[in-house]
Amino acid sequence: MKPFLLLATRPEDAAADAEYAAFLRYGGLTEDELVRIRLESTPLPPLALADYSGIFVGGSPFTGSIPAEHKSDTQRRVEAELAGVLDVVVAADFPFLGACYGVGTLGRHQGATIDGTYAEPISAVTIAVTEDGAQDPLLAGLPRSFEAYVGHKEAISRLPEQAVLLASSSTCPVQMFRIKTNLYGTQFHPELDVAGILERIAIYRDAGYFPPGEQEAVEREVAAAQVHLPTRLLRSFVERYARD
């Protein structure tokens, strides 16, 4: 099988390694089958889509909707590199799944409006699958509603006309969408289980994803949530797009 590619941007080693481990575990992949490039620490090398089965983009502490003058040189480089990748990926309708930061990356490339209107603190929310989502092969076998973990300072407030809305929630209207046939973005985290979200809370406790002093309450809330189904998306993506 040609490997999948994870384009990662987390500077914290613990968070980056846990994210990679989660994509491996829930994608049913070995390290040989999931190549990781940490864009926050190294420029993107030349990529040939023919070498891969598909591409993942994970989460990030970067906030894409802030003014350019407030972005670091690293963030500006990473955004330019990802935009270049998407120029090729979208034109080819090449399998792509962007989660959290990845949903904004794909959305911005396609003309979505992204701002802080529908930011969500770290929490578990109920995802409602749309009629189009119920017909999408990546969501096959999932119920019309399920719990998922979120935590983001920006979100899509307006989808471009060419996007298909696949899932929503009461607090964030765009939780999952598709471009063309094979390009997906999810605002929620399909890679996170309870252990994963608790580790993220510990790492990002001072990053503004929940009010100061409420870490224990947030931990209790996410630990009590029934989040078991979103990880199936990763296996579905791998099974659908793996190729020799």
Side-chain angles (χ1 to χ4, degrees):
M1 183 188 78
K2 292 184 178 181
F4 287 81
L5 174 64
L6 173 62
L7 298 177
T9 61
R10 296 185 184 278
E12 307 86 2
D13 288 340
D17 290 344
E19 180 181 71
Y20 181 51
F23 275 91
L24 289 172
R25 179 167 60 255
Y26 290 116
L29 298 166
T30 67
E31 291 187 5
D32 290 337
E33 294 169 337
L34 182 60
V35 175
R36 176 177 61 161
I37 300 175
R38 292 183 63 178
L39 297 179
E40 86 291 341
S41 60
T42 184
L44 181 68
L47 295 179
L49 296 186
D51 294 338
Y52 300 100
S53 288
I55 295 175
F56 296 108
V57 172
S60 178
F62 294 153
T63 302
S65 60
I66 63 175
E69 60 268 25
H70 296 307
K71 297 177 181 180
S72 66
D73 290 343
T74 297
Q75 181 173 351
R76 288 193 292 267
R77 172 183 59 78
V78 168
E79 289 179 355
E81 290 173 344
L82 287 174
V85 170
L86 284 170
D87 287 344
V88 179
V89 164
V90 172
D93 196 13
F94 187 78
F96 176 93
L97 176 58
C100 198
Y101 180 65
V103 76
T105 301
L106 178 60
R108 184 174 298 106
H109 185 271
Q110 290 296 291
T113 300
I114 300 173
D115 52 37
T117 303
Y118 298 109
E120 294 175 297
I122 293 179
S123 57
V125 301
T126 300
I127 305 298
V129 177
T130 66
E131 291 294 334
D132 286 321
Q135 304 302 315
D136 190 273
L138 215 60
L139 289 163
L142 289 178
R144 290 295 295 268
S145 67
F146 56 87
E147 299 294 300
Y149 290 126
V150 298
H152 51 98
K153 299 175 183 178
E154 61 183 3
I156 293 173
S157 58
R158 184 190 61 81
L159 272 174
E161 291 183 2
Q162 71 272 25
V164 179
L165 181 65
L166 302 178
S168 184
S169 72
S170 62
T171 48
C172 183
V174 180
Q175 286 286 354
M176 184 174 181
F177 72 95
R178 187 185 72 237
I179 297 290
K180 294 187 172 180
T181 302
N182 301 312
L183 308 163
Y184 293 90
T186 69
Q187 186 64 72
F188 61 89
H189 286 276
E191 83 282 7
L192 284 183
D193 54 17
V194 173
I197 191 69
L198 290 174
E199 184 172 35
R200 294 270 178 91
I201 289 170
I203 293 170
Y204 294 113
R205 62 182 177 271
D206 298 317
Y209 289 101
F210 50 84
E214 294 190 10
Q215 180 175 345
E216 291 185 2
V218 174
E219 289 173 337
R220 287 194 297 271
E221 177 191 343
V222 300
Q226 301 300 308
V227 179
H228 308 297
L229 299 177
T231 55
R232 292 186 187 178
L233 287 176
L234 298 183
R235 181 61 69 93
S236 294
F237 186 84
V238 168
E239 291 177 348
R240 184 179 183 197
Y241 293 116
R243 60 195 182 99
D244 296 329

